[in-house]
Amino acid sequence: MRRWIFVLCVVLCPLQAWAAGYGVYEWSARGNALGGAMVARDGDPSSVAYNPACITDVPGKQIQIGATAIAPSATMDVKSDLVEDMDFADSVWALPTMYYTHQLSDNYWFGLGMFSRVGLGTEYEDADTWAGRYNCSRAAIKSVSINPNLAMRFSDAFSLAVGVEATYLDFGYDMTFRHPTTDDTDVLHEISADGWGYGMNLGARYKPFDWLAFGLMWRSEIQLTVHGDGDFTQKGIADLGFKSTEVSGTEPIPESVTMGVMVKPMERLSLEFDAVWTKWSAYKSLIVNYDDPQLGFGGDKLESPKNWHNAWRFQFGAEYALTDSVDLRAGYVYDQSPVNDDYEDYAVPCTDRQIVTLGAGWKINEAWAVDASYGYLWMKDRDYEARLKSGILELTREDARAHMAGLSVTYKF
């Protein structure tokens, strides 16, 4: 079972720099096209991720499989004539999802989701020449959340859902050490660790009229403890006293609350506005514990303060039923960055981001449906002030953008 889940996780690595913090919200093609505004509107199987109380709209048994591909780009413009600028590595990051819903009776539904709530994939084009490698040359989080839910319909207007969440996380981080006064002493440090964490979620949806609905979703904080290996590879001529060893650490998935309202100003058009609050203040520091003390830095742990801020994400989505079988969709997202400017780093070079989205859904027949989405993301530039002890140079991360394409297929049994 663990091996099967790990194989799935290998591809669950959305590029962090394109999210606020390392949160991920690309959970279905329909949801993507609507800017993620799915907490109150009529449900489909992917509502397991957005608000499982909405799966009380989903009759019978249904399964949905999908994926979102993300193609990012950005440049690190170093403010020195002696150092070359560095682009992010050219990559396409795949984010697959799978959902199953089952109507147990007139008032009870079961829903199961496999999706990613967090992800990180910052990678630079040439790690050996990247001037910021002494802070970070690669940072990766691959995760999958397994999320079973029970949804209950108390009336035609009101539904509740409760679920548990098991999250598997694979963490990777590369950086380089060097002697402060001696040239040609680089030592590449590669960290690889994984582990599990557990949490819960609650969802509610109140729909007093066909044209008006309110949604609320809460997900608990999950503290993941990871264990793995810390390897050191000597690149320079001097031995700095590092020794490969086992490592451990913790990584939080922060608590979040999503609230939203959906209105239908006309029969075929639905509009929804959501606000998502995320408790990123849970991420206070990155600590790596070493089983064997390292002479290279004279201790048994490395600690990097983060002190992130809580942040808001605002999302809007519009859906228009062009025909009985074709839906057109559009959305907009404004996502605040939680990064504390006093502790900014090259692992998470994010700022406030905006996304515009488009998409469509096609009900092929009574059993099959296909949804597709496209999103364009951009972020304002980030200026770094030099902090040499942390390996931070004066530079600007500029021209950060990404193209995102999603596809989901739904089958009704």
Side-chain angles (χ1 to χ4, degrees):
M1 176 67 176
R2 189 176 186 275
R3 179 183 296 273
W4 178 79
I5 292 174
F6 177 77
V7 171
L8 178 63
C9 288
V10 168
V11 294
L12 291 179
C13 190
L15 188 62
Q16 196 305 325
W18 319 109
Y22 44 86
V24 172
Y25 305 92
E26 286 70 36
W27 296 330
S28 73
R30 182 188 180 212
N32 295 348
L34 293 167
M38 289 272 290
V39 74
R41 69 172 63 250
D42 296 346
D44 68 20
S46 70
S47 296
V48 171
Y50 296 99
N51 182 1
C54 297
I55 68 172
T56 57
D57 294 332
V58 183
K61 302 176 185 178
Q62 300 191 25
I63 187 170
Q64 183 185 105
I65 298 174
T68 300
I70 305 174
S73 62
T75 297
M76 304 297 265
D77 180 15
V78 183
K79 306 303 181 182
S80 171
D81 295 335
L82 302 177
V83 179
E84 293 184 0
D85 298 341
M86 184 61 60
D87 292 334
F88 281 24
D90 292 331
S91 302
V92 176
W93 306 84
L95 178 60
T97 56
M98 183 174 69
Y99 306 99
Y100 172 75
T101 59
H102 183 181
Q103 183 177 1
L104 304 174
S105 68
D106 289 342
N107 297 312
Y108 291 92
W109 279 255
F110 172 76
L112 176 67
M114 298 184 69
F115 55 97
S116 182
R117 283 182 59 201
V118 293
L120 173 61
T122 304
E123 187 173 1
Y124 294 93
E125 192 172 52
D126 188 344
D128 289 334
T129 62
W130 159 229
R133 65 188 180 276
Y134 304 106
N135 178 263
C136 176
S137 55
R138 184 185 71 92
I141 293 175
K142 303 170 186 175
S143 76
V144 60
S145 289
I146 303 170
N147 184 207
N149 287 266
L150 178 66
M152 299 156 282
R153 182 165 63 191
F154 291 91
S155 70
D156 291 341
F158 185 63
S159 298
L160 281 176
V162 59
V164 294
E165 182 176 350
T167 297
Y168 171 77
L169 183 141
D170 182 89
F171 175 79
Y173 196 98
D174 296 352
M175 63 179 299
T176 299
F177 293 102
R178 64 177 174 181
H179 193 279
T181 61
T182 307
D183 293 333
D184 198 19
T185 58
D186 280 7
V187 175
L188 174 63
H189 184 25
E190 299 170 292
I191 298 170
S192 179
D194 65 350
W196 286 85
Y198 305 93
M200 66 176 297
N201 59 270
L202 297 171
R205 203 265 299 270
Y206 178 56
K207 190 176 181 181
F209 307 104
D210 288 341
W211 58 269
L212 178 66
F214 303 91
L216 182 66
M217 179 67 179
W218 170 77
R219 289 192 179 275
S220 70
E221 179 179 321
I222 299 176
Q223 280 288 344
L224 293 112
T225 300
V226 295
H227 300 271
D229 299 310
D231 296 323
F232 295 91
T233 303
Q234 188 169 320
K235 297 281 188 175
I237 59 175
D239 184 355
L240 299 185
F242 292 106
K243 179 183 178 182
S244 296
T245 183
E246 294 184 353
V247 299
S248 64
T250 59
E251 187 80 11
I253 299 179
E255 176 186 9
S256 67
V257 178
T258 304
M259 59 203 82
V261 58
M262 183 277 297
V263 296
K264 292 184 176 180
M266 59 182 69
E267 182 179 356
R268 290 184 173 271
L269 176 65
S270 64
L271 309 174
E272 180 169 329
F273 174 79
D274 294 351
V276 184
W277 176 83
T278 305
K279 191 180 178 182
W280 283 111
S281 59
Y283 190 33
K284 300 184 183 302
S285 62
L286 175 64
I287 300 175
V288 180
N289 299 298
Y290 298 84
D291 283 6
D292 298 322
Q294 301 299 315
L295 297 178
F297 50 78
D300 60 0
K301 72 176 182 179
L302 275 181
E303 183 171 2
S304 176
K306 304 300 179 183
N307 295 317
W308 281 10
H309 308 297
N310 298 332
W312 286 90
R313 170 186 168 102
F314 303 102
Q315 49 199 31
F316 172 80
E319 186 171 51
Y320 180 73
L322 183 65
T323 69
D324 290 342
S325 60
V326 176
D327 295 325
L328 303 180
R329 302 167 185 137
Y332 171 77
V333 176
Y334 184 86
D335 213 354
Q336 293 180 342
S337 168
V339 173
N340 187 327
D341 291 344
D342 293 334
Y343 302 99
E344 59 191 1
D345 57 33
Y346 299 144
V348 189
C350 72
T351 49
D352 293 356
R353 67 176 190 162
Q354 298 181 69
I355 311 171
V356 291
T357 59
L358 296 170
W362 178 31
K363 300 178 183 68
I364 301 172
N365 53 40
E366 290 297 319
W368 292 94
V370 176
D371 298 289
S373 66
Y374 169 77
Y376 178 74
L377 179 154
W378 70 97
M379 291 188 287
K380 66 180 183 181
D381 294 347
R382 171 173 282 280
D383 294 318
Y384 287 82
E385 296 183 0
R387 303 193 328 270
L388 298 182
K389 287 185 178 180
S390 300
I392 300 295
L393 305 176
E394 183 182 1
L395 57 77
T396 299
R397 193 230 58 229
E398 57 187 21
D399 298 329
R401 56 178 62 93
H403 300 276
M404 303 182 292
L407 183 68
S408 299
V409 177
T410 303
Y411 177 72
K412 302 177 182 180
F413 294 91

